[in-house]
Amino acid sequence: MEEWINAFLKRLENKNFSLHTIRAYQTDLQEFLAFFKARKQNDLKYFTSANIRSFLAALQTHADPARNTVLRKIASLRSFAAFLLAQDKLERNPFKLLPVPKRQKLLPKFLSLTETDRLLDTAAHSKHFAARDKALFELMYSSGLRRSEVTGLRIKDVDYFNGLVKVFGKGAKERLVPVTDEALNALKIYLAQRKNPQPDDALFLNKNGKPLTGDGLAYIFKNTAIRSHLARKVTPHSLRHSFATHLLNNGCDLRSLQEMLGHKSLAATQVYTHVSLEKLKSVYNHAHPESKENL
């Protein structure tokens, strides 16, 4: 089984899946492998519906994972099963008759305009990397890019004349996303401080002059969020959620937002309409004299 897990992960790498996604698959499949090794069943013939149920039951016994965490593990195993079926290594699909719990619908957590401004201002006053961090956070907020998309950018991907950035999203799918003048000006200032930058160079570098990684971005973001003294926990994805919510609240249509976010389906984008409705209800309850909040 271990040999085929490695082959599956290699296939994901060849298909240009993000490092973050590959790591998630690897973690889930290694946990699955360890479970079967402990039972001395390290063979594909044991990859059955019954044994998958045993694995999921063991997860609940030793921990209390969130429903979406369990669903992610199921998705990892499902993709692995599909890979094995394509290689004729399984006689039947172990997930065909396996019931899957529904995904827990959580509203995206986003920052208010005031909180966003505070975060961007803190980034702009970074002690050692103010120019880089200002450009980094302005770009993230103005474009709604994923973490892997930001770190994958090259200098040549920024179109200053048309105010666009070329992004390679999930599955190496290319899209063009508008960028604000504020972000473009911050990028110009940052790149002016770089030594002989070339078009194919990474857009953002770490303190050692190497391309910024996803983990490096998460570290920068964590420190900036702490220095911003925000009352809530924020992550790099918080800016993506904030970008989407703020655009929708100011009249952006769903189709345009879908294109900018790089969502495959409109259903993935529609979650932000629920966020906007929650905000609308909150404003209504606070403002209407006969609402429960004002009685």
Side-chain angles (χ1 to χ4, degrees), residues 66-80:
R67 180 185 299 177
N68 287 351
T69 300
V70 174
L71 287 174
R72 192 200 72 197
K73 294 181 186 299
I74 293 174
S76 297
L77 293 173
R78 218 171 194 168
S79 296
F80 181 49

Side-chain angles (χ1 to χ4, degrees), residues 68-260:
N68 287 351
T69 300
V70 174
L71 287 174
R72 192 200 72 197
K73 294 181 186 299
I74 293 174
S76 297
L77 293 173
R78 218 171 194 168
S79 296
F80 181 49
F83 170 73
L84 293 175
L85 286 166
Q87 305 298 320
D88 293 324
K89 294 298 176 183
L90 290 180
E91 293 184 3
R92 60 183 62 86
N93 186 350
F95 286 93
K96 191 172 183 178
L97 300 176
L98 192 68
V100 177
K102 291 183 178 180
R103 179 171 291 276
Q104 189 175 10
K105 293 183 179 180
L106 299 175
L107 293 180
K109 295 180 180 180
F110 64 97
L111 304 175
S112 68
L113 290 172
T114 300
E115 290 171 325
T116 303
D117 286 340
R118 190 191 305 179
L119 189 69
L120 296 180
D121 183 65
T122 302
H125 292 87
S126 172
K127 187 173 182 180
H128 300 294
F129 303 99
R132 182 202 63 186
D133 289 359
K134 177 176 174 59
L136 178 61
F137 278 73
E138 288 288 353
L139 178 66
M140 289 171 66
Y141 177 55
S142 75
S143 58
L145 300 187
R146 301 178 178 93
R147 184 170 71 171
S148 60
E149 293 171 344
V150 173
T151 56
L153 289 173
R154 302 290 170 181
I155 291 176
K156 66 181 180 182
D157 293 329
V158 182
D159 181 349
Y160 293 93
F161 182 78
N162 292 302
L164 299 168
V165 60
K166 182 167 65 175
V167 183
F168 293 91
K170 290 184 176 181
K173 184 179 179 182
E174 181 182 315
R175 71 182 190 277
L176 294 173
V177 183
V179 184
T180 63
D181 288 339
E182 183 75 20
L184 292 173
N185 290 332
L187 283 169
K188 289 178 181 178
I189 293 171
Y190 165 55
L191 292 175
Q193 297 181 4
R194 295 258 297 265
K195 294 181 180 179
N196 192 30
Q198 299 299 311
D200 286 320
D201 290 347
L203 184 59
F204 294 107
L205 304 179
N206 61 22
K207 64 180 182 180
N208 298 317
K210 303 294 183 181
L212 187 64
T213 64
D215 289 341
L217 173 59
Y219 178 79
I220 293 170
F221 197 96
K222 180 180 178 180
N223 284 346
T224 304
I226 290 173
R227 289 188 289 111
S228 298
H229 301 294
L230 297 177
R232 68 179 79 193
K233 179 182 178 181
V234 291
T235 67
H237 227 59
S238 298
L239 274 187
R240 179 171 165 86
H241 292 324
S242 302
F243 161 84
T245 305
H246 296 168
L247 279 182
L248 202 59
N249 285 342
N250 284 281
C252 180
D253 64 276
L254 275 178
R255 287 289 182 187
S256 297
L257 185 58
Q258 177 191 357
E259 285 293 320
M260 287 184 276

